[in-house]
Amino acid sequence: MVRLLQIEFIKLWNNRASKILITSYFVLLTSIALIAAIKFDIGPVKFHLADQGIFNFPYIWHFNTFVTAIFKLFLAIVIVSMMANEYSNKTIKQNLIDGLSKKEFIASKFLTVISFSLISTVFVFVVSMILGLVYSDYNEISIIFSDLEYLLAFFIKLVGFFSFCLFLGIFVKRSAFALGFLILWAVLEQIVFGLLGWKVMSWDSAKAVKDFFPLESMTNLIKEPFTRLSAVQNIGQQIGENMSFDYHVYWYEFLIVIFWTVLFVYLSYVLLKKRDL
């Protein structure tokens, strides 16, 4: 396992574009701390974003995992490019000649996916913990370590999404086309949902089916956190809007994403096994 990871990280380290993208990704994860510095002081209007409770425990786990998940596209490019480079540089063929089996090759890629996801999760945990200890109004241990399921959801979400990118990289071979296919897939999920609700079944039933789609199921793991803010809740009450939503992460949502993850990794292996390199 360590040997397989070493092979992959050596390849990534020797690729200048990958180093830039990975560095940019973690810089962006850290930049969430800059949100705390946003202040508006215009005459009588004084606004400090950190005072709105976004860094309060345990809300910070929900907010930070949702926002930082947006940056996953940087690592998606790395993973897709990682596979494209294997074909363009003929390293995949050389690895197999050197004794690496196709199963080990896929295992090395999936271990890289897990490593990126785990490092990202730990990074978000550390940044969130620091911001929370500095800005949170609640510092009781029981409150600090509640709602940590959002970190698990963040990890599973990244593993699922990167596994999908891994499959697309093997399926398409070209990074630009693979990323284009990823965007197309996201659009197709919405089109299928619209057709189901319009022609086939009720909109509620269509929404239930949509929740099983790959990208949609990953999105559902961490729902938007903004309507949880007290300021938004107060505005909703003033205009007569019901802001009571379900923000919980459910076990079956984990299972759906895990199912797609296993399927994408398996299909990647099957595709590589049958393909003439």
Side-chain angles (χ1 to χ4, degrees):
M1 182 182 296
V2 175
R3 179 177 66 91
L4 296 178
L5 270 177
Q6 285 177 336
I7 293 172
E8 293 307 316
F9 280 114
I10 288 172
K11 291 178 185 177
L12 290 173
W13 184 253
N14 291 328
N15 186 294
R16 185 169 178 269
S18 294
K19 282 195 291 187
I20 292 173
L21 285 169
I22 293 171
T23 302
S24 300
Y25 170 74
F26 285 104
V27 168
L28 284 171
L29 290 190
T30 309
S31 69
I32 196 171
L34 296 177
I35 295 176
I38 296 177
K39 293 182 179 181
F40 298 102
D41 191 355
I42 306 173
V45 179
K46 298 182 185 296
F47 178 80
H48 186 192
L49 193 56
D51 292 338
Q52 304 307 305
I54 63 171
F55 295 139
N56 278 344
F57 288 119
Y59 175 77
I60 191 172
W61 304 120
H62 188 183
F63 178 82
N64 281 5
T65 52
F66 179 85
V67 173
T68 53
I70 298 171
F71 303 136
K72 66 183 181 294
L73 289 174
F74 281 83
L75 288 187
I77 296 172
V78 172
I79 291 168
V80 168
S81 301
M82 178 175 68
M83 281 310 309
N85 291 336
E86 293 285 1
Y87 288 104
S88 61
N89 298 332
K90 308 294 183 182
T91 50
I92 180 173
K93 185 177 291 187
Q94 187 60 50
N95 285 156
L96 297 176
I97 291 174
D98 292 341
L100 202 68
S101 68
K102 291 184 176 180
K103 184 178 290 186
E104 287 178 320
F105 180 82
I106 293 297
S108 69
K109 300 301 181 187
F110 185 58
L111 285 172
T112 305
V113 163
I114 292 177
S115 298
F116 278 151
S117 303
L118 184 59
I119 293 170
S120 299
T121 304
V122 172
F123 203 86
V124 170
F125 171 79
V126 172
V127 171
S128 300
M129 182 63 76
I130 293 172
L131 288 172
L133 291 175
V134 172
Y135 292 104
S136 178
D137 296 327
Y138 313 103
N139 292 315
E140 294 82 358
I141 295 297
S142 60
I143 295 178
I144 290 176
F145 291 102
S146 60
D147 283 4
L148 287 181
E149 64 267 21
Y150 287 108
L151 284 171
L152 178 59
F154 180 74
F155 173 73
I156 297 297
K157 181 176 184 173
L158 292 189
V159 172
F161 183 73
F162 294 152
S163 297
F164 187 27
C165 294
L166 173 63
F167 167 71
L168 292 180
I170 294 175
F171 180 66
V172 182
K173 293 185 180 181
R174 302 283 183 88
S175 56
F177 290 122
L179 291 170
F181 193 92
L182 178 64
I183 296 171
L184 177 62
W185 186 277
V187 174
L188 283 175
E189 286 193 3
Q190 301 305 316
I191 292 175
V192 171
F193 165 64
L195 290 174
L196 288 175
W198 181 38
K199 291 289 187 181
V200 180
M201 59 186 69
S202 68
W203 286 106
D204 287 339
S205 298
K207 178 63 173 66
V209 173
K210 181 187 178 186
D211 290 342
F212 286 89
F213 294 168
L215 293 180
E216 186 66 20
S217 64
M218 297 169 197
T219 300
N220 288 341
L221 277 177
I222 306 176
K223 288 106 178 156
E224 61 82 20
F226 305 108
T227 49
R228 287 183 64 182
L229 287 169
S230 57
V232 177
Q233 292 280 339
N234 292 334
I235 292 173
Q237 291 175 3
Q238 291 173 10
I239 63 175
E241 284 288 332
N242 180 15
M243 291 291 186
S244 179
F245 301 112
D246 187 358
Y247 304 100
H248 291 92
V249 184
Y250 293 98
W251 62 270
Y252 58 83
E253 293 174 327
F254 284 116
L255 289 182
I256 295 171
V257 177
I258 291 171
F259 165 79
W260 285 116
T261 301
V262 172
L263 181 63
F264 287 137
V265 174
Y266 175 73
L267 290 177
S268 298
Y269 172 65
V270 170
L271 193 61
L272 187 66
K273 189 176 180 181
K274 292 185 177 181
R275 180 173 286 169
D276 184 12
L277 302 176

